[in-house]
Amino acid sequence: MPNVASTSAAAIHILGVRHHGPGSARSVRDALAAIEPSIVLIEGPPDADAMIPFVAHAEMTPPVALLVYRPETPRDSIYYPFAEFSPEWQAMTYALGRGISARFMDLPVAYQLGRDEGDGPPEVETDPTEPTPPRRPVDPLGMLAQAAGFDDGERWWEFVVEWRRDGADLFAEILEAMAEVRLAAPPQDDPRELLREAHMRQTIREARKEGHASIAVICGAWHAPALAETAWPPARDDSNLLKGLPKTKVAATWVPWTYGRLSRDSGYGAGIASPGWYDHLWTAPDHVVERWLTRVARLLREERLDASSASVIEAVRLADALATMRGRPLADLSDLDEAVRTVLCFGEETPMRLIRRKLVVGERLGRVPEETPSVPLQQDLQRLQKRLRLAPDPAQTTKVLDLREPTDLERSRLLHRLDLLGVAWGRVAHVSGKGTFKEAWQLQWVPELSVSLIEASLWGATVEDAATARAADRGGREEDLPELTALLDRAILADLPAAVSAIMARVESLAAVAADVTQLMDALPPLANLLRYGSVRKTDASLVGHAASGMVARVCVGLPLACGSLDDAAASAMFESIVRADSAIRIMDDASGLSSWHAALARLADSDTAHGLIAGRAARILLDSRELDEAEASRLMGLAVSTASEPTRAAAWVEGFLRGGGEVLYHDDALFGLFDSWLAGLPADAFPGLLPMLRRTFSTFEPPLRRNLGEKASRSSSAGSRSPLKTNSIVDIDAERAATVLPLVARLLGLGGGMES
Amino acid sequence: MSRARSGAIAPQTVSNDDGADAASAVLRRHAEEQFAEELEALAKDDSRPRPPRWRLSPWAVTTYLLGGTLADGTPITPKYIGNRRLMEVAVATLATDRALLLLGVPGTAKSWVSEHIAAAIASDSTMLVQGTAGTSEEAIRYGWNYALLLAEGPSAKALVPSPMMRAMKEGKIARVEELTRIPADVQDTLITILSEKTLPIPELNGEVQAAKGFNLIATANNRDRGVNELSSALKRRFNTVVLPTPETAEEEVEIVRLRVESMGRALAIPSEPPGLEEIRRVVTVFRELRDGQTSDGKVKVKQPTGTMSTAEAISVVNQGLSLAAHFGDGVMRSADMASGLIGAVVKDPVQDRVVWLEYLETVVKERDGWKDLYRACREVV
Ligand SMILES: Nc1ncnc2c1ncn2[C@@H]1O[C@H](COP(=O)(O)OP(=O)(O)O)[C@@H](O)[C@H]1O
Ligand SMILES: [Mg+2]
């Protein structure tokens, strides 16, 4: 038992740890094996003592969290997450394996949630999982680290604790060191901290009273000195402090957790930045650096990036050299990151982000046994299902909601919220015609949904909170603007104002740096829908309006340049984006946005460097919205199809102008004439090449229109009355030659063979 | 003529050993000469292990680059201002015998760092191959003295070594500037050198084997997209360090100030050191045009076609200083900076002029205390 700080003959062993530190976990495991205590006391919520046995359950897979909450208001809750490499987890595992008792000793959550209780309005939204930071030195370890010549407290801790595999007298040293830090720190008067430590001591006293001869205490290093028996105040002081505290009823259960969530604040205070790396430190039996870099290389290869074993060798060498230069016996994560960036990623940032997400943080999702008590989220859903009379049915049913009915509106919100949570109970069958108030859902409750619900419970204790947290989280990480506005759409449908403003902020910041105009344009339609139908949903649209007009402004500035040198494929994608953006901007009801949009289109229509397809469509949109009159449209078409322009560009222009709607051609004689004479004047060798493009264009017209156009073509040619070409008549028309192509034109227009002129 | 055509001849360095006068007479001294005292002091102070043939230990090289004060009180001026870790990675790369590729937009001190590292490690920064579209294989390997070649046939005497070959023989650091400008097939020559550490000479039936201490630092511009992308085979033989544009305005002001001061000394410009305020204005203009928005993030500005690098900011201030010295009273004012600013911004006479005018009207004109700069700039536009 030499490794441990025993404070008296009564054998109380204080093991001061770093929460979630794999090094601490390892030392705790070794120390416990050496001590062989008869009871293990752990810094954690005593309200959840009954949950400890689940740790040994075969289906229990960390990361998981203890959730302690008030059953009446489940959003009052605290999470205590654990990974396999958490010292607390290892202590529980040890105790359960030996069949000895394990108990939590922190101040019960029942007291903590019971405080500042009033009859006033509920408190302003605060994240209940984020405990108010205790008033202790921000970085007690930093002080020690500096004394040891390290500039970074974290790194110092890694060396002294994490990297220390012998563990000799380690916990005694930590106790001593922390005692000095606490002496140097200002007096500790945070009432909550005082209560917590008093309760921990009381729990130890109790264990001793029960006759335990050897007691192991696992606590955060900071608390160690306060729990050492030599420093105990009289028992009466502690019990007085704890007497008469208001108490509420709480419940506890286990929920699955993720490594991503482990990096956030929780009941254990600050989260850890690199759970995946800690996992590696915990699981790698040896050669931590080599194994880590090999994993990096394998990940890169999975993504089809070059990463040979030769490069891994060089990365190992560089990491070691960096550690040496920085005076460290072993490379740490920052050395490894730099070695990876320099050797394996050729200095690029993008693969580094992938490595960060998949390896450094990690994507592991925990699992809890089925027998664990149901989570508040499940209970909340059951309440909502009862209230909204929306019972889960394993058979598929269809439900049409009338959004003017308050209950139906709430049902719709619930379904959208669940959808955001990945609990796909319903699918919108189709959003019925614009402007209606109906929404049809296809509902089916399959058993897997219960699992999804438990998984979703890590996001919050009520459907609303969880959906908000999940949507905001996704929004914060989304890099793709159109995806993001689609998410925004869903968040608004789900009526989650907090998520909406978080996503909106992200939209604005992404839009501000978006270099790609198509991205911006493709992000507009969901925003436009929101603006238009927001009122039906009773959602506030002013936020959206602001962002949308900013994006329109950016689109208008960037569009002409973005259309500068497009090949056919890019032009046709751009065509689609412009068409979609146009209808979005038209329904946005933003006059100044619309006029800059038209101005941008006018530049495109007038430009002879823009791809024909784009210039043609720009002209067409302007014509349709009466920004151009027929004469001006004729002028533009005349320019585009003049002999001076290349036949392929002219054909592209025509396609852009006409695709999806040829009525203008029928109704406007001038345009028709221009088109007709262009076709007729095409050089014979150019014509076959253009045929597919023309056919494609005309196939987008309705059959009756095609017929009418054919008739018009034959009429005008038989009457010899081609529309006069006044201003732009640069084509010297040979009527006879022109007439020879007419049968072909007729066939092109889908008019069969009976139309000979 | 044959020598010129071979393209493999580095200009003969004049030895400056015999006195500071000769040294200060050249326009721009090599780093190892200009900072000879610092290097000397560093070497004396340096008890850490050195890789074979290194004049300094990796720690001392890093100190040389980043500046500091030695145990005996000798101050070491900072050469690179920015993230210390980048320099550590660069030096550690060379210490592990890997070639180093410095990547970045123009004016991020790639060549500067490369020169100083070579000076600190090998006391010689002159083994330099300048990469251009016309860089030939001979420039990287070796050429011939054709007169001798014709007279005597291939012989070691007739062979004209490239800087690369000399660096290999002498165990020094070779430098290749603007690697991506070099045609792809010529780039490939480097692969053998880096992987085999030998340079075959088939004509003499021999080879040059690199002596210990030989290594390569290359620089490349990562804006020159598609010029001559590095082949992945070549890329894999380098450790790549990306040098960023200065993170903060203060850092950039510091870079400009230090460089201008030391260049002013070197050029013996008889003017006062420029006021920090003037430098800050120049740096602000550069950063705002580079970032496409004002420093308070409130106003979007159009970006000019040029890179607006720190290096150009340095020369704007330098030019302003010499204008002030030669045509003014020696104190740099806004009028002295105006023409330099225009020269740096307006690279394309049409597009950039619009950008510059817009910037003047919407940003410079409105800013408190910038009226003089606005007027000075409007006068020269
Ligand atoms: N971070 C920096 N620290 C010190 N000097 C810098 C820095 N960035 C730019 N410079 C200065 O800019 C000038 C040009 O740098 P240079 O090495 O020619 O750029 P590059 O080769 O990247 O195009 C040098 O005089 C250098 O001193
Ligand atoms: Mg350069």
Side-chain angles (χ1 to χ4, degrees):
Chain A
M1 238 179 348
N3 296 350
V4 169
S6 31
T7 53
S8 78
I12 299 167
H13 310 277
I14 310 287
L15 313 185
V17 299
R18 181 170 175 230
H19 300 301
H20 310 308
S24 305
R26 200 171 268 121
S27 312
V28 161
R29 202 177 50 181
D30 296 349
L32 289 176
I35 299 165
E36 299 195 345
S38 60
I39 186 169
V40 174
L41 302 180
I42 299 166
E43 182 187 331
D47 327 61
D49 273 352
M51 294 294 111
I52 293 179
F54 283 105
V55 167
H57 196 290
E59 280 165 33
M60 184 68 110
T61 322
V64 291
L66 272 176
L67 166 61
V68 186
Y69 61 99
R70 288 176 75 181
E72 298 91 64
T73 52
R75 81 162 44 157
D76 289 338
S77 58
I78 299 184
Y79 292 97
Y80 289 81
F82 300 91
E84 173 99 35
F85 51 77
S86 302
E88 296 84 353
W89 184 265
Q90 287 304 318
M92 287 188 275
T93 308
Y94 171 86
L96 292 168
R98 290 297 184 95
I100 62 167
S101 342
R103 242 174 248 169
F104 289 127
M105 62 176 181
D106 205 344
L107 184 66
V109 174
Y111 294 147
Q112 306 190 42
L113 293 179
R115 283 159 4 113
D116 50 48
E117 195 59 43
D119 274 339
E123 273 181 74
V124 201
E125 186 68 24
T126 57
D127 186 350
T129 61
E130 198 178 318
T132 44
R135 257 183 285 146
R136 52 165 98 141
V138 195
D139 185 11
L141 296 165
M143 296 163 64
L144 276 190
Q146 267 167 10
F150 280 75
D151 55 347
D152 180 347
E154 185 62 16
R155 212 167 287 150
W156 172 82
W157 185 263
E158 271 170 34
F159 284 111
V160 178
V161 181
E162 312 284 77
W163 292 111
R164 188 154 190 161
R165 296 202 168 174
D166 58 355
D169 292 327
L170 177 64
F171 289 111
E173 274 174 39
I174 288 176
L175 181 61
E176 235 171 79
M178 292 318 290
E180 291 202 14
V181 172
R182 281 181 72 126
L183 267 183
Q188 293 303 301
D189 54 0
D190 182 334
R192 181 166 169 272
E193 290 287 294
L194 292 178
L195 287 174
R196 292 181 63 199
E197 288 177 349
H199 195 273
M200 295 188 212
R201 283 189 294 265
Q202 289 295 67
T203 312
I204 302 173
R205 288 190 183 103
E206 227 163 87
R208 196 163 54 175
K209 232 180 273 162
E210 286 167 21
H212 287 288
S214 175
I215 302 171
V217 174
I218 287 90
C219 61
W222 171 258
H223 297 299
L227 305 189
E229 200 183 357
T230 47
W232 284 4
R236 208 179 329 107
D237 290 5
D238 282 341
S239 69
N240 279 342
L241 209 54
L242 292 164
K243 209 180 286 165
L245 284 180
K247 194 171 172 179
T248 37
K249 206 177 131 236
V250 295
T253 189
W254 286 104
V255 294
W257 210 245
T258 65
Y259 275 179
R261 298 280 285 181
L262 210 50
S263 59
R264 313 212 346 192
D265 290 351
S266 69
Y268 279 125
I272 50 174
S274 49
W277 164 243
Y278 281 11
D279 183 300
H280 179 78
L281 288 177
W282 174 252
T283 48
D286 53 16
H287 302 299
V288 167
V289 166
E290 289 83 349
R291 286 177 196 277
W292 177 258
L293 291 170
T294 306
R295 285 177 63 193
V296 170
R298 301 185 76 87
L299 172 65
L300 291 173
R301 267 176 243 151
E302 269 169 38
E303 302 289 322
R304 302 218 197 96
L305 297 165
D306 223 2
S308 66
S309 306
S311 302
V312 175
I313 295 170
E314 294 304 337
V316 170
R317 295 183 63 223
L318 181 59
D320 285 342
L322 281 171
T324 310
M325 277 186 69
R326 290 163 180 171
R328 288 188 216 113
L330 285 171
D332 75 4
L333 186 57
S334 60
D335 303 323
L336 289 169
D337 272 348
E338 278 158 354
V340 167
R341 175 182 289 119
T342 311
V343 180
L344 289 162
C345 298
F346 310 116
E348 282 163 35
E349 222 22 70
T350 322
M352 290 304 290
R353 277 201 289 271
L354 174 80
I355 292 164
R356 166 128 224 109
R357 180 161 54 82
K358 293 225 166 173
L359 292 185
V360 177
V361 173
E363 293 180 324
R364 179 165 297 184
L365 171 68
R367 215 152 49 96
V368 302
E370 254 175 60
E371 295 89 324
T372 38
S374 69
V375 298
L377 186 64
Q378 290 166 306
Q379 297 163 17
D380 187 50
L381 180 58
Q382 281 157 13
R383 264 194 303 273
L384 289 165
Q385 285 167 335
K386 206 180 282 171
R387 187 160 66 73
L388 299 175
R389 295 183 310 284
L390 202 63
D393 186 344
Q396 199 177 64
T397 55
T398 303
K399 193 150 188 89
V400 177
L401 302 176
D402 181 341
L403 302 177
R404 287 165 301 187
E405 297 291 326
T407 308
D408 272 359
L409 185 57
E410 270 198 76
R411 287 173 176 151
S412 162
R413 283 174 183 161
L414 174 63
L415 292 168
H416 281 296
R417 283 170 187 177
L418 288 172
D419 187 40
L420 276 170
L421 278 174
V423 182
W425 181 11
R427 226 161 25 87
V428 179
H430 77 61
V431 185
S432 33
K434 291 170 184 171
T436 78
F437 296 91
K438 297 277 165 66
E439 189 179 60
W441 286 86
Q442 242 160 36
L443 300 177
Q444 183 175 26
W445 188 270
V446 293
E448 290 77 40
L449 291 181
S450 308
V451 182
S452 314
L453 196 60
I454 293 176
E455 278 171 16
S457 65
L458 69 89
W459 294 103
T462 65
V463 175
E464 180 177 358
D465 284 357
T468 299
R470 175 90 199 273
D473 180 78
R474 273 196 52 196
R477 285 183 292 119
E478 184 60 68
E479 304 275 342
D480 184 74
L481 201 47
E483 288 282 332
L484 191 64
T485 52
L487 178 67
L488 180 69
D489 197 9
R490 295 170 64 194
I492 292 197
L493 292 175
D495 188 32
L496 301 169
V500 168
S501 50
I503 299 170
M504 233 25 253
R506 178 83 180 153
V507 167
E508 301 218 23
S509 71
L510 272 193
V513 297
D516 186 352
V517 174
T518 0
Q519 275 240 331
L520 282 169
M521 288 198 283
D522 293 347
L524 288 175
L527 291 183
N529 277 334
L530 289 176
L531 286 171
R532 180 149 189 206
Y533 303 118
S535 58
V536 180
R537 290 282 173 177
K538 302 190 167 52
T539 48
D540 176 20
S542 62
L543 260 178
V544 180
H546 178 252
S549 44
M551 283 166 64
V552 172
R554 288 201 175 83
V555 166
C556 296
V557 170
L559 188 62
L561 211 62
C563 296
S565 49
L566 301 173
D567 62 18
D568 289 348
S572 109
M574 180 61 84
F575 179 95
E576 298 297 338
S577 293
I578 289 181
V579 168
R580 277 195 302 267
D582 179 59
S583 53
I585 293 173
R586 266 187 291 126
I587 59 179
M588 269 180 194
D589 191 27
D590 164 13
S592 88
L594 188 61
S595 79
S596 7
W597 174 242
H598 286 151
L601 291 176
R603 283 182 59 185
L604 283 181
D606 241 347
S607 145
D608 40 39
T609 53
H611 194 280
L613 192 66
I614 304 301
R617 176 52 42 159
R620 176 56 185 275
I621 292 174
L622 293 170
L623 177 67
D624 288 349
S625 52
R626 309 200 176 291
E627 292 293 311
L628 283 187
D629 54 18
E630 277 86 2
E632 181 62 7
S634 301
R635 186 184 73 81
L636 289 173
M637 184 189 264
L639 282 179
V641 303
S642 75
T643 42
S645 36
E646 229 207 301
T648 36
R649 182 172 194 273
W653 195 97
V654 168
E655 183 182 4
F657 190 78
L658 292 177
R659 197 199 277 180
E663 291 80 359
V664 274
L665 212 49
Y666 183 67
H667 295 299
D668 187 320
D669 287 343
L671 285 176
F672 185 85
L674 280 166
F675 175 66
D676 194 15
S677 55
W678 169 63
L679 263 192
L682 279 174
D685 54 340
F687 190 73
L690 300 181
L691 207 51
M693 207 187 294
L694 292 166
R695 192 185 276 287
R696 193 167 63 220
T697 308
F698 278 81
S699 70
T700 63
F701 300 170
E702 301 284 327
L705 176 64
R706 277 187 291 189
R707 190 161 350 94
N708 289 343
L709 282 172
E711 281 163 9
K712 184 165 175 146
S714 69
R715 220 172 25 245
S716 64
S717 72
S718 53
S721 64
R722 209 175 294 287
S723 308
L725 296 170
K726 287 174 223 123
T727 42
N728 291 305
S729 174
I730 19 183
V731 188
D732 199 4
I733 298 156
D734 176 343
E736 227 165 83
R737 262 190 73 206
T740 59
V741 303
L742 284 171
L744 188 55
V745 174
R747 232 178 319 132
L748 191 68
L749 297 173
L751 300 170
M755 275 289 180
E756 244 91 39
S757 53
Chain B
M1 167 222 167
S2 53
R3 289 186 138 237
R5 260 190 49 198
S6 81
I9 314 301
Q12 287 295 291
T13 322
V14 182
S15 164
N16 290 317
D17 286 350
D18 50 1
D21 289 341
S24 59
V26 299
L27 193 53
R28 187 181 174 288
R29 291 191 289 163
H30 296 304
E32 58 273 23
E33 292 156 7
Q34 196 185 342
F35 295 96
E37 279 158 35
E38 286 190 7
L39 291 168
E40 196 66 35
L42 275 161
K44 219 165 61 199
D45 186 60
D46 189 11
S47 57
R48 308 241 203 182
R50 304 172 191 189
R53 297 244 182 128
W54 281 35
R55 304 289 302 267
L56 297 175
S57 70
W59 292 269
V61 174
T62 314
T63 308
Y64 173 74
L65 293 171
L66 293 157
T69 308
L70 300 183
D72 67 3
T74 313
I76 303 297
T77 54
K79 315 298 176 303
Y80 180 77
I81 294 165
N83 188 349
R84 145 168 232 111
R85 311 184 68 97
L86 289 177
M87 293 301 112
E88 289 174 344
V89 173
V91 175
T93 288
L94 296 167
T96 56
D97 237 350
R98 285 271 285 176
L100 171 66
L101 174 61
L102 296 171
L103 210 57
V105 298
T108 41
K110 299 182 295 296
S111 307
W112 175 251
V113 166
S114 149
E115 176 182 351
H116 280 287
I117 294 180
I121 292 178
S123 271
D124 188 346
S125 62
T126 62
M127 307 291 181
L128 172 70
V129 176
Q130 185 65 48
T132 65
T135 303
S136 62
E137 212 170 301
E138 289 85 61
I140 294 178
R141 303 176 68 203
Y142 49 85
W144 295 101
N145 177 331
Y146 286 97
L148 272 181
L149 188 66
L150 288 176
E152 303 175 9
S155 69
K157 229 171 41 187
L159 184 140
V160 181
S162 70
M164 183 73 65
M165 184 183 254
R166 285 194 290 133
M168 290 176 82
K169 277 187 183 157
E170 297 169 29
K172 289 183 171 170
I173 305 278
R175 297 168 52 209
V176 176
E177 282 288 316
E178 303 292 358
L179 179 58
T180 44
R181 302 238 169 112
I182 298 177
D185 53 325
V186 181
Q187 284 180 13
D188 285 347
T189 318
L190 291 173
I191 296 182
T192 330
I193 296 178
L194 289 180
S195 53
E196 309 298 327
K197 305 276 155 92
T198 62
L199 187 53
I201 312 173
E203 295 89 338
L204 301 180
N205 211 357
E207 60 176 15
V208 171
Q209 283 184 301
K212 277 202 166 134
F214 166 72
N215 209 332
L216 176 64
I217 306 177
T219 68
N221 176 349
N222 60 4
R223 258 231 194 142
D224 282 352
R225 274 283 154 65
V227 176
N228 290 304
E229 286 294 353
L230 297 186
S231 70
S232 66
L234 184 54
K235 235 158 105 179
R236 259 185 282 125
R237 291 186 163 73
F238 282 104
N239 283 7
T240 311
V241 172
V242 176
L243 297 185
T245 51
E247 203 172 331
T248 63
E250 273 318 298
E251 214 170 71
E252 194 159 2
V253 168
E254 184 65 4
I255 295 168
V256 175
R257 189 183 64 80
L258 282 176
R259 291 296 300 137
V260 166
E261 271 179 26
S262 73
M263 287 161 92
R265 268 199 309 278
L267 297 175
I269 294 177
S271 57
E272 313 239 332
L276 215 49
E277 256 332 289
E278 289 306 326
I279 294 181
R280 200 165 277 138
R281 291 209 290 191
V282 172
V283 166
T284 305
V285 170
F286 270 70
R287 290 181 75 84
E288 292 186 333
L289 289 170
R290 185 194 305 146
D291 299 345
Q293 57 175 19
T294 52
S295 51
D296 57 11
K298 289 202 181 127
V299 182
K300 284 239 154 217
V301 301
K302 292 211 178 84
Q303 287 160 289
T305 51
T307 48
M308 306 306 301
S309 70
T310 313
E312 288 168 294
I314 294 171
S315 48
V316 167
V317 176
N318 254 333
Q319 189 187 333
L321 274 186
S322 67
L323 277 178
H326 299 300
F327 303 105
D329 58 3
V331 179
M332 186 174 80
R333 302 212 165 74
S334 45
D336 303 312
M337 299 184 305
S339 63
L341 277 174
I342 292 178
V345 178
V346 183
K347 295 270 154 55
D348 173 320
V350 183
Q351 245 174 302
D352 291 337
R353 213 180 102 88
V354 176
V355 170
W356 178 237
L357 282 177
E358 234 182 79
Y359 180 72
L360 283 180
E361 293 303 324
T362 57
V363 179
V364 178
K365 189 178 179 184
E366 309 295 326
R367 195 166 277 162
D368 280 346
W370 281 41
K371 293 269 175 312
D372 57 324
L373 185 62
Y374 172 74
R375 273 194 301 273
C377 290
R378 283 307 312 216
E379 266 170 36
V380 267
V381 160

